[in-house]
Amino acid sequence: MNEYQRVSRLTDRMPVNNLDMPLLGLFGEIGSLLSELKKKQRDQRAYIKYDDAVLEELGDVLWYLSQLASRADLSLQVLAQRSFRELRDWDEVDATFHGTFGDIQSAHDAKAAAEYERRLVTLAGRAGDLMNDFGSGRITANRDALSAHLVEIFRALIAAAEAADVALDEAARRNLEKTFSRWPAQECYPPLVDSEMIEIERLPRQFSMYFEEHEAAGKTYVIQKCNGIIVGDRLTDNKSEKDDYRFHDVFHISYAVFLGWSPVLRALFRLKRKSDANLDENQDGARAILIEEGVSTFIFGRGQQLNLYEGLDQVDYSLLKSIRDFTKGFEVQVCGLWQWEKSILNGFRVFRELKRHRRGMVTADLMARTLTFTHR
């Protein structure tokens, strides 16, 4: 628990020296737990992500609880010990205790849905009490009052996790994996997925693609040239309402730069890994190409709602999570969420330039991890 509190604090990107954001986050994540229960009750067997969702949401509740404790200079392991104590032995805590979350769970005994629901409601009520006291100013300058609230929330969290048959150790570990995937302590790119292949089956480490818009027979389309040679088909928006999606291949280039992955570019450049039958069929084949095109369509739709990410420096987690789920089982799954975020933001940055100028050179460097645009 001590190590989790220390390490999780490194991932705290919220405004410093206030409790507002972590309090709202804690309350919101508990609400998400209740939402998952509602989905399970409504959709029953059709809702297959329930167990993973509960594990993730419990980990998120634990993260916000840890940040609240850290901001008030409270020890998570002391709060954990007090969650099993009463008034008469409140101060009988072991300062040298260095236990795990597993040490404070009596059992992982899945309860009936009604009991789990009751424990979740109790957890939500404890968080509501904390929010009420915070709103009235009763804990602003009262660390002991905050500590007492966090102990009650911790106690209710343990009870809810036990009823859900969730090990808090596992929830904590998954939470750190997810958080560091999004906000790593140091950005370190994994090796390119084709780094071990023969040279003629690797994506080019540096290349430039020229995008140029044309009109013919009443249609507007884009052609792409690499080294003066047209690559791929003429692209239109494929939609009645024009939105310039015909420039979307820039996203595939961005994936290559920041993820080292693009089955679409492999097909365009005729670089499928024929020397390895498994990679050729399962990672470079039609299904992988459709997955990549699906991701591009998905993020483009989200980008249209956000002015093509102009002026934004981050991508919402829900989108990144959906992409992670969508690409599970493909080699790009080794990439962190932060890499997807970079590829999306940089892809839209260059897309906006192409939309503005209608033509230009896009230069990719997979070793330097750069994507640049030059208007020509």
Side-chain angles (χ1 to χ4, degrees):
M1 280 185 283
N2 289 339
E3 186 69 2
Y4 174 80
Q5 184 174 13
R6 183 189 70 79
V7 175
S8 69
R9 193 170 188 179
L10 300 174
T11 66
D12 186 350
R13 298 295 189 273
M14 295 177 289
V16 297
N17 299 326
N18 72 61
L19 298 178
D20 303 59
M21 290 299 290
L23 275 170
L24 290 172
L26 178 69
F27 200 68
E29 294 302 338
I30 293 173
S32 295
L33 271 172
L34 290 168
S35 178
E36 293 301 329
L37 179 62
K38 178 197 70 177
K39 292 176 185 176
K40 178 65 172 177
Q41 293 173 337
R42 181 192 64 200
D43 301 330
Q44 299 181 12
R45 286 183 296 177
Y47 186 49
I48 61 175
K49 294 185 178 181
Y50 177 70
D51 291 340
D52 282 342
V54 169
L55 181 65
E56 181 175 346
E57 297 298 346
L58 282 170
D60 289 341
V61 171
L62 192 60
W63 187 89
Y64 279 107
L65 180 67
S66 181
Q67 303 324 306
L68 282 167
S70 294
R71 287 174 179 234
D73 199 25
L74 296 168
S75 167
L76 204 59
Q77 59 95 2
V78 169
L79 296 177
Q81 290 181 70
R82 284 181 172 164
S83 68
F84 293 97
R85 302 193 185 281
E86 299 178 354
L87 289 176
R88 63 178 180 273
D89 60 352
W90 182 259
D91 290 322
E92 294 180 16
V93 295
D94 181 2
T96 64
F97 177 72
H98 295 290
T100 69
F101 291 104
D103 294 331
I104 60 175
Q105 284 188 272
S106 58
H108 306 154
D109 182 18
K111 305 293 183 183
E115 175 62 16
Y116 175 51
E117 181 177 356
R118 186 189 68 78
R119 295 188 185 188
L120 274 188
V121 170
T122 298
L123 177 59
R126 298 292 180 262
D129 292 340
L130 172 57
M131 293 292 287
N132 285 334
D133 276 3
F134 180 75
S136 64
R138 283 193 286 270
I139 68 170
T140 303
N142 192 335
R143 183 164 164 264
D144 287 340
L146 176 61
S147 175
H149 275 295
L150 295 183
V151 167
E152 290 299 323
I153 291 172
F154 211 159
R155 183 181 290 131
L157 176 63
I158 294 167
E162 290 175 352
D165 194 23
V166 169
L168 286 176
D169 271 337
E170 177 66 8
R173 184 184 67 80
R174 292 272 194 98
N175 174 262
L176 288 181
E177 286 180 355
K178 179 186 76 173
T179 307
F180 278 108
S181 179
R182 177 75 184 278
W183 293 294
Q186 181 179 2
E187 293 183 354
C188 183
Y189 287 92
L192 296 172
V193 296
D194 61 2
S195 60
E196 300 299 321
M197 305 305 297
I198 58 176
E199 187 173 356
I200 60 172
E201 293 183 349
R202 298 177 192 168
L203 287 172
R205 288 353 189 193
Q206 292 91 23
F207 65 92
S208 294
M209 189 86 77
Y210 186 70
F211 289 75
E212 189 174 52
E213 193 174 63
H214 292 270
E215 288 191 15
K219 288 187 177 182
T220 303
Y221 61 90
V222 165
I223 62 170
Q224 295 140 187
K225 296 179 180 179
C226 188
N227 296 326
I229 300 173
I230 294 177
V231 177
D233 298 325
R234 299 180 179 186
L235 296 179
T236 65
D237 288 347
N238 293 130
K239 190 178 180 182
S240 298
E241 182 182 345
K242 302 307 177 185
D243 55 13
D244 293 317
Y245 190 68
R246 52 189 172 272
F247 291 112
H248 86 277
D249 271 6
V250 70
F251 296 119
H252 302 306
I253 299 175
S254 192
Y255 302 153
V257 170
F258 298 101
L259 301 167
W261 171 83
S262 178
V264 170
L265 284 187
R266 284 194 185 282
L268 289 177
F269 289 153
R270 300 186 183 278
L271 294 172
K272 295 182 71 176
R273 288 165 287 184
K274 296 291 185 180
S275 62
D276 187 315
N278 177 57
L279 292 176
D280 180 36
E281 179 179 357
N282 300 315
Q283 299 295 341
D284 299 344
R287 187 172 179 181
I289 291 172
L290 288 173
I291 288 290
E292 184 182 353
E293 291 288 11
V295 168
S296 299
T297 303
F298 184 41
I299 68 168
F300 186 74
R302 184 66 61 89
Q304 286 184 297
Q305 300 170 7
L306 296 170
N307 195 29
L308 303 178
Y309 283 92
E310 187 162 15
L312 299 180
D313 60 0
Q314 63 180 21
V315 176
D316 63 284
Y317 174 68
S318 64
L319 176 61
L320 297 174
K321 180 181 176 182
S322 295
I323 293 172
R324 181 189 64 188
D325 293 342
F326 202 50
T327 57
K328 187 176 181 179
F330 292 92
E331 57 191 350
V332 71
Q333 69 182 4
V334 303
C335 295
L337 297 180
W338 65 272
Q339 291 177 256
W340 275 108
E341 185 170 60
K342 278 184 176 292
S343 70
I344 292 169
L345 292 176
N346 281 280
F348 273 107
R349 172 179 57 80
V350 176
F351 181 88
R352 293 194 301 269
E353 293 290 342
L354 285 168
K355 182 180 176 70
R356 183 176 299 116
H357 297 291
R358 319 310 298 180
R359 64 181 62 213
M361 186 71 77
V362 177
T363 301
D365 190 324
L366 278 62
M367 303 307 294
R369 306 286 184 168
T370 58
L371 184 69
T372 57
F373 173 82
T374 306
H375 174 47
R376 295 184 183 179

